[in-house]
Amino acid sequence: MEPQKSHQKQLLILSLIILAGAILRLFFLRGNNLWFDETSGICNAVNFFNFITSPVYNYRPLYLFLLNRWTEIFGITAVASRMPSVLFGIGSILLIYKIGKELFNTEIGLISSFILLVSCFHIYHSRQVRPESLLLFLILLSFLFFIKFLYGKKLIYLIFNLLLNILIIYTHPFGFSIALIQELYTVTSYRAIEKPVLKKILIYQTLLLFVLGILFFRNIILQKHYFKSILWWARVPTVAKIIETFQTFCYGGPKYGLETTSVRTCTSSVAYVAVIVFLALFIKGLYTIIKTKALTKIANSGNLIILWLFLPPTLAFLFSYIFFPVYMVRTFLICLPAFYLVVSLGINFNNRLLFKIAILSAIFIINIVPLNIIYTTNGNVDWGKVVLFMEQH
């Protein structure tokens, strides 16, 4: 009876977290006007089947296809167009809980889902007509099936994982790093993985990685001038850009990961407090991973989290110096769950419930200021008035 009560309590907490996450992502959704990227995304989606061979669609066709089908049913208003991102954002809260529970324990799952619930970085992109929210949802689902295969050994989990990795790279080119992370984890942790499981992963994942790698670099080489033209504003990353990435993970960052927006920066006092709190918890979480050889059911699960967190920014950093600048803070939303899982380990080192509640309350309070800015600041162009003006003149 006691385990059943505990399970019911956990389910209630998770339900409240998901409900709160839905409220924060739906609140005042129509308040900000559609801005340029959102408007162009809607236009591209509406004309998807007429221009499917264009570089625009080869770049991230899955999101535009889904948006095309969605707008056909629900229209192209600001709320309707943003709703898919909202739904994927809410779904991500559930998925990070599942991953935290599978890799570590239920408490880590609940803590990480709560942090994602109040994350300004995630909330901002869950309210945009852009592919980032879908991309993160697919990545979380891919990792969940990857972990389930390692633990459950059912081939169906691996098949779902491989299919999701294909969808991920057709949502955004950075998605290529996800299959690479899982492959590297398999190679580096081969001693902890049973031989039948290891053999299947290496065969299927390596083959997929090879095919995706050819498609990825072919796409980059053939459309190099196109990518350089749409990223004309990007600069070669510096240490300052890495620091901005960390700030964005902590409290949304100076521009919430969207370098072109005119949203005001967060107050310095809140920023300093946020960075100090998250940095302390992050260091403690990393120490826990390094100190403990086998954290959970799956040995060396910490290695998977570390690869997930550090590999995509490292690849983007190196690519920017070798080819052309592609380092964009907003894209590293794909690493945000890994960061929060490490922070959750830092919070969970103290078994006192009051300590955990105090830390999570502090994280929530820290995010109130940037959240208020997200909801109240409208730095976007009113394209509706622009269209009306053009029609009248």
Side-chain angles (χ1 to χ4, degrees), residues 377-392:
T377 302
N378 190 355
N380 303 328
V381 176
D382 191 341
W383 291 100
K385 290 182 180 179
V386 172
V387 172
L388 183 62
F389 177 84
M390 291 176 67
E391 288 177 345
Q392 293 174 347

Side-chain angles (χ1 to χ4, degrees), residues 234-287:
R235 298 292 179 267
V236 175
T238 61
V239 175
K241 185 60 72 173
I242 297 174
I243 294 173
E244 183 187 336
T245 305
F246 180 77
Q247 289 176 326
T248 305
F249 285 0
C250 294
Y251 65 93
K255 298 174 183 176
Y256 306 104
L258 188 59
E259 290 83 349
T260 54
T261 190
S262 58
V263 175
R264 300 193 309 274
T265 59
C266 190
T267 57
S268 58
S269 58
V270 173
Y272 289 140
V273 171
V275 169
I276 291 171
V277 170
F278 273 96
L279 181 61
L281 295 170
F282 180 73
I283 291 172
K284 178 59 183 174
L286 275 182
Y287 176 74

